[in-house]
Amino acid sequence: MNNKDVIEFIKSLYPEYKENVFLHAPVFLGNEKKYLNDCIDTTFVSSVGQYVDRMEQMVAEYTGTTRAVVCVNGTNALYMSLLLSGVEQGDEVITQPLTFIATANAISYMDAYPIFCDVDLDTMGLSPVAVRKWLEDNAEVKGGKCVNKKTDRKISAVVPMHTFGHPVHLDEFVKLCEEWKITLVEDAAESIGSFYKGKHTGLFGKVSALSFNGNKTITTGGGGMLLFKDKKLGEKAKHLTTQAKILHRWEFKHDAIGYNYRMPNINAALGCAQMENIEKVLENKRKTAMSYKEFFAGSDIQFFDEPKDCKSNFWLNAVLLPNKEAQLKFLEETNDNHVQTRPIWELMNRLNMFKDCQCSDLTNAEMFADRVVNIPSGYAQRG
Ligand SMILES: Cc1ncc(COP(=O)(O)O)c(C=O)c1O
């Protein structure tokens, strides 16, 4: 199959794009304008308003969790997830090198040290097998805590990320974290609408973080959400993300150092309208993914399908080119021809800020970095 055939096929999926086919443009199918106008008409555009509570309820209901708490973006939701799961300054946190930089940055904001372990071939996300091996070689459980034998630091959390919406092996992570006395935190920024064995991603960790950035399946313009099973911890998150203000009609009293992380009402209004159509959007995106799967079948370009026992949201469809050279050629030819494609992220351990971090063998992550390209995946107007 040559790149010209691929370009033509992608353009045929998105005939509505007359110039550039975007990787993932937002889509507004329902009440977005109505709810935004309501915010303007009522003046409730900022930190107070009914849409914030409604958005939290809608996401909690949709995912099937006890409590959802809005944040200003996915990055600070991730930071709060680590804070609320007990990560402390000087701890170590295990994650994958193949991720968007926000995962590693959030660990750094905690003054904690990221450790990068390899990803699985079937999920592109953190591998429980690689993490277990790394722990067996480098760590021990001492006094109810997991300790790195070389650095003597506490390993307090494991943060798998559901790459492009494909769930990692969550049952294995739950088991591993129990055995090794480590807290599971899910970076579910990319995985609203993705399910592992019938349960929504983000419901396996103690806390997890979603993103509603403009390029995600559902957007609030910019925004994020924390998911909790523990209602009390959810209430603590709400308190901390709203300046730790003690509720009172007029007094300004605060009982902790809090954060101004509350999503504005105007963003939540957009999110409520988006959530009303999430099923339609997911169905449409799945249809596109299945068209790609069929198109690439049997060719030298491999479509990355959802893992076994999982339902992915297919946030960004990914293909594997035969090698680095083919990856670069594909990127060049598609972008030259107005089809927006992007390589997968540079590995975190190759970035200057994280180059001295501890790593496991990273064979799979390195292979994906050389070969993966994301192709247009947004809502297609065919309906
Ligand atoms: C894996 C991952 N983590 C965290 C984030 C951060 O989300 P945000 O852009 O909303 O801050 C993103 C998305 O942008 C992401 O893809």
Side-chain angles (χ1 to χ4, degrees), residues 72-76 78 99-103 161-162 187-190 210-213 215-216 222-224 315 345:
V72 200
N73 56 49
T75 307
N76 65 38
L78 204 50
T99 184
F100 180 60
I101 193 155
T103 320
M161 195 279 280
H162 306 294
D187 182 345
E190 304 181 354
L210 305 178
S211 165
F212 299 120
N213 188 34
N215 65 349
K216 296 296 188 294
W315 170 51
W345 315 279

Side-chain angles (χ1 to χ4, degrees), residues 110-121:
M110 298 297 308
D111 280 331
Y113 299 88
I115 297 170
F116 300 114
C117 287
D118 207 3
V119 295
D120 272 324
L121 288 175

Side-chain angles (χ1 to χ4, degrees), residues 15-74:
E16 63 272 26
Y17 287 112
K18 298 293 174 238
E19 291 189 359
N20 294 310
V21 182
F22 294 119
L23 195 63
H24 201 290
V27 63
F28 308 110
L29 301 170
N31 288 319
E32 283 86 352
K33 279 188 183 165
K34 184 176 162 200
Y35 296 167
L36 290 175
N37 278 334
D38 181 45
C39 290
I40 292 165
D41 292 345
T42 59
T43 75
F44 286 107
V45 295
S46 191
S47 48
V48 179
Q50 53 147 341
Y51 290 108
V52 169
D53 295 343
R54 214 155 112 189
M55 180 70 182
E56 288 177 343
Q57 276 159 15
M58 287 178 95
V59 172
E61 243 165 64
Y62 174 73
T63 57
T65 200
T66 322
R67 183 74 166 100
V69 174
V70 287
C71 277
V72 200
N73 56 49

Side-chain angles (χ1 to χ4, degrees), residues 97-152:
L98 193 73
T99 184
F100 180 60
I101 193 155
T103 320
N105 280 348
I107 296 169
S108 305
Y109 302 157
M110 298 297 308
D111 280 331
Y113 299 88
I115 297 170
F116 300 114
C117 287
D118 207 3
V119 295
D120 272 324
L121 288 175
D122 61 339
T123 69
M124 254 195 265
L126 189 62
S127 164
V129 176
V131 174
R132 185 178 287 281
K133 168 135 191 4
W134 191 89
L135 287 168
E136 282 167 359
D137 292 346
N138 296 282
E140 61 185 342
V141 176
K142 228 170 42 180
K145 290 177 187 164
C146 183
V147 177
N148 185 326
K149 287 190 278 188
K150 287 184 196 140
T151 62
D152 209 33

